[in-house]
Amino acid sequence: MAQRKKKKKVQSQHTTTKPAYKGSPDKAHVVVKKILQVYGLAPDTLDSFTRLQRSYLFYSPVEPIRVKVEEGHRVPRRLVNFMAESTHRFMRTHCFGDASIGLTCLEFSTYGVSLALMLNAAPSSHLFQPGELEMLASVAKVINYERVVKDLEIVGKHIRKVVMMISKVNFRIYGYTWQIRNTAGVEIASTVFMSSEEPISIRFKHKQKERVAFRVRAGRVINEPPHNARIDRWFIFYRDESPSVYLDIYIQSHALQRVKERMDIFPAHKRNFYVMEPLLYMHEVRSSPAGRPMLTCYFMANDRRVCLGYFPFIIQKNRLIVLTFLPLASSSTMTGAYLCRQLGLQTEDMVFLGMDKLSFYLTVDFEQIPMLKEAIAATEIRHLMEYAANDPEMNFVIDQKKTQMVKRFFERKAEFEAAAVDDYGEEADLQSAPDPVEEQTAAPSDVLHDPQ
């Protein structure tokens, strides 16, 4: 009799579904006490209830935030993972409410929504007596579903920031919706669905050449549609225009490439965020030495504005088109013009030294070059250096080789100038630059020329 062949065990092609997260009773009890305290209630408010009653209120099956791709949209897996890891890291390390209470955003999102829903469902349960229901109703007035979801906006702001970090106006814009819903019975699921939008481009003519620019926009945020960047002409020219005339903001890929080269102290996702936020929401206009208005690239750190560079632009019809990105030390900016005159530098010298890159100001030991230190201390570059010194993530170290190169450059320059004084009997006036103007506003001119 022929032996029967054993069937090969084939692994199932279906992905297994992870069971819903269930917090331990002890953990839930501790977290609920924190939640009560954060909302100004006594932490022992619910201690008088029986274990069964607390089990009904506290221990409902819940799960931490999941990140998925919305059906019909395209988001690379690595970006989905980046969103999930970044969000969970934020929720584990950031506290909600008074930091001394120690309620993390992860604990709040896991147990806070569940507690609010179960407080609302308590009257339909047979577990509570009328007096107990009155107590629960008083707690529910403070901790209700609408308020908890609104307070979770602290997490929503982080998710929104991450979405801006990974979006590229010349490739794809990402957005998200956030759903908190009952999946089965009292099981609560909190899911972020990532969406995507294709870029919007235009063709325009400039200097007898046809070019391409991309519309600056942010992706969908929950129920809000994608946001298109616009700026009122009044912010540029300071003229009373009624009604207001809004300009749609576009940017060339060339500008994004210059950002990549010159803003080299930040990883790609942060660099993208620091560029997009001031173009989308935080419009500020400064003047160049020639009186040309430019948009400022900056971010806020501890209520202080940290400037990173400038965006020269042209206006065509109702479009503001960003042409390039100028570093802080460009001779076409107030800061760069001051440094050139104060130090007797040309644009080529600044590029040779590397002053057009932000890493220059974090890797050179200015203590060894007092002349350069004094000049930089009088400009807004000092804000960037102070920010880097106080941020543990900015762990740049001094490059002694570069420092020595810069030091030798200024020493030889001083020797050459001293020799010129001996030869001609007069000293070049290198101190005639005006004080740097950090808050100068745009000149009221409609004629926008190209940056030098």
Side-chain angles (χ1 to χ4, degrees):
M1 188 174 183
Q3 292 184 347
R4 295 178 64 182
K5 291 184 178 180
K6 290 185 179 180
K7 288 186 178 180
K8 228 176 179 181
K9 195 171 182 181
V10 180
Q11 188 175 359
S12 173
Q13 298 297 315
H14 300 286
T15 57
T16 57
T17 303
K18 294 182 180 180
Y21 173 79
K22 296 184 180 181
S24 67
D26 293 338
K27 174 70 173 178
H29 200 183
V30 171
V31 173
V32 168
K33 284 179 175 290
K34 294 180 182 179
I35 294 174
L36 293 170
Q37 194 173 355
V38 163
Y39 281 104
L41 302 173
D44 59 353
T45 300
L46 304 179
D47 284 359
S48 60
F49 289 95
T50 66
R51 183 178 181 85
L52 181 61
Q53 291 171 327
R54 291 201 303 271
S55 176
Y56 178 84
L57 293 172
F58 302 167
Y59 315 146
S60 300
V62 295
E63 65 177 22
I65 291 178
R66 290 184 179 182
V67 180
K68 298 181 179 180
V69 179
E70 187 175 346
E71 187 175 351
H73 292 260
R74 294 184 297 171
V75 184
R77 173 55 54 186
R78 61 182 179 81
L79 297 184
V80 175
N81 293 339
F82 179 80
M83 171 68 79
E85 293 168 4
S86 175
T87 301
H88 289 154
R89 187 185 312 112
F90 174 86
M91 295 171 70
R92 288 193 303 269
T93 57
H94 286 71
C95 289
F96 174 74
D98 188 345
S100 63
I101 297 175
L103 176 65
T104 66
C105 291
L106 179 61
E107 293 173 333
F108 179 59
S109 65
T110 302
Y111 295 98
V113 175
S114 173
L115 176 62
L117 287 174
M118 299 316 296
L119 285 171
N120 184 62
S124 61
S125 171
H126 64 278
L127 296 176
F128 303 97
Q129 300 300 318
E132 295 170 334
L133 288 174
E134 290 180 9
M135 179 187 296
L136 293 179
S138 65
V139 175
K141 287 181 180 179
V142 180
I143 306 176
N144 54 69
Y145 178 77
E146 290 75 15
R147 182 175 181 182
V148 169
V149 170
K150 183 179 179 181
D151 289 341
L152 278 173
E153 179 58 21
I154 183 176
V155 180
K157 287 181 179 179
H158 173 78
I159 297 174
R160 185 175 186 173
K161 181 177 179 180
V162 174
V163 164
M164 288 176 61
M165 287 180 175
I166 62 178
S167 295
K168 293 182 179 179
V169 294
N170 59 344
F171 177 67
R172 193 175 293 147
I173 304 295
Y174 298 105
Y176 75 96
T177 59
W178 190 0
Q179 298 179 7
I180 301 175
R181 66 187 187 280
N182 289 22
T183 57
V186 293
E187 181 180 320
I188 302 165
S190 178
T191 309
V192 170
F193 290 95
M194 297 184 65
S195 60
S196 61
E197 306 283 343
E198 295 304 309
I200 298 176
S201 63
I202 60 166
R203 292 187 175 275
F204 69 102
K205 282 191 175 181
H206 181 58
K207 287 188 174 182
Q208 288 76 49
K209 290 184 179 180
E210 189 175 68
R211 309 185 184 202
V212 178
F214 297 88
R215 189 161 191 172
V216 179
R217 61 204 302 258
R220 181 177 53 175
V221 176
I222 307 180
N223 295 324
E224 298 177 11
H227 172 75
N228 294 318
R230 303 171 71 203
I231 185 171
D232 193 330
R233 281 178 60 96
W234 183 91
F235 284 101
I236 303 171
F237 303 116
Y238 297 94
R239 290 178 178 172
D240 184 15
E241 301 191 19
S242 183
S244 294
V245 178
Y246 287 93
L247 307 173
D248 297 322
I249 300 179
Y250 290 79
I251 187 170
Q252 285 196 113
S253 290
H254 171 80
L256 301 176
Q257 181 62 31
R258 287 291 178 263
V259 165
K260 181 179 179 181
E261 294 171 357
R262 293 163 172 171
M263 207 184 293
D264 58 342
I265 62 176
F266 300 112
H269 60 280
K270 283 193 174 182
R271 186 168 58 232
N272 198 42
F273 176 76
Y274 289 147
V275 169
M276 299 312 298
E277 189 178 39
L279 292 179
L280 282 164
Y281 307 112
M282 307 195 317
H283 302 141
E284 179 183 275
V285 179
R286 301 272 190 92
S287 278
S288 71
R292 172 195 176 91
M294 303 182 295
L295 294 176
T296 307
C297 179
Y298 73 100
F299 66 94
M300 300 300 296
N302 298 324
D303 298 325
R304 171 175 285 181
R305 183 183 289 101
V306 179
C307 185
L308 300 172
Y310 300 92
F311 293 113
F313 58 83
I314 59 172
I315 293 176
Q316 292 186 356
K317 297 181 180 180
N318 285 343
R319 295 168 177 166
L320 183 153
I321 304 174
V322 174
L323 297 176
T324 189
F325 172 77
L326 296 180
L328 289 172
S330 169
S331 59
S332 296
T333 70
M334 284 293 184
T335 297
Y338 171 80
L339 290 175
C340 284
R341 294 182 183 181
Q342 191 75 4
L343 299 171
L345 299 175
Q346 302 296 323
T347 300
E348 295 77 9
D349 298 329
M350 303 183 88
V351 173
F352 169 75
L353 294 173
M355 294 177 69
D356 59 329
K357 296 180 173 59
L358 295 183
S359 58
F360 175 87
Y361 306 98
L362 304 186
T363 56
V364 172
D365 184 5
F366 296 108
E367 296 296 332
Q368 300 184 39
I369 317 169
M371 178 184 180
L372 184 56
K373 177 184 177 183
E374 183 179 350
I376 289 176
T379 69
E380 60 190 348
I381 296 175
R382 70 182 186 275
H383 299 320
L384 173 65
M385 297 172 67
E386 291 170 358
Y387 162 77
N390 296 320
D391 188 338
E393 293 184 0
M394 304 291 288
N395 56 350
F396 282 83
V397 295
I398 296 298
D399 186 337
Q400 292 297 342
K401 187 175 180 180
K402 180 187 284 189
T403 300
Q404 291 304 314
M405 184 272 288
V406 176
K407 183 180 179 181
R408 285 195 302 271
F409 176 89
F410 281 99
E411 288 174 346
R412 291 173 181 174
K413 184 176 179 301
E415 292 172 0
F416 176 80
E417 290 169 356
V421 171
D422 293 338
D423 291 342
Y424 300 105
E426 59 182 13
E427 182 177 1
D429 182 15
L430 301 177
Q431 308 295 330
S432 59
D435 291 336
V437 182
E438 294 188 10
E439 301 297 333
Q440 184 164 347
T441 56
S445 172
D446 281 343
V447 183
L448 302 180
H449 301 287
D450 297 333
Q452 297 297 321

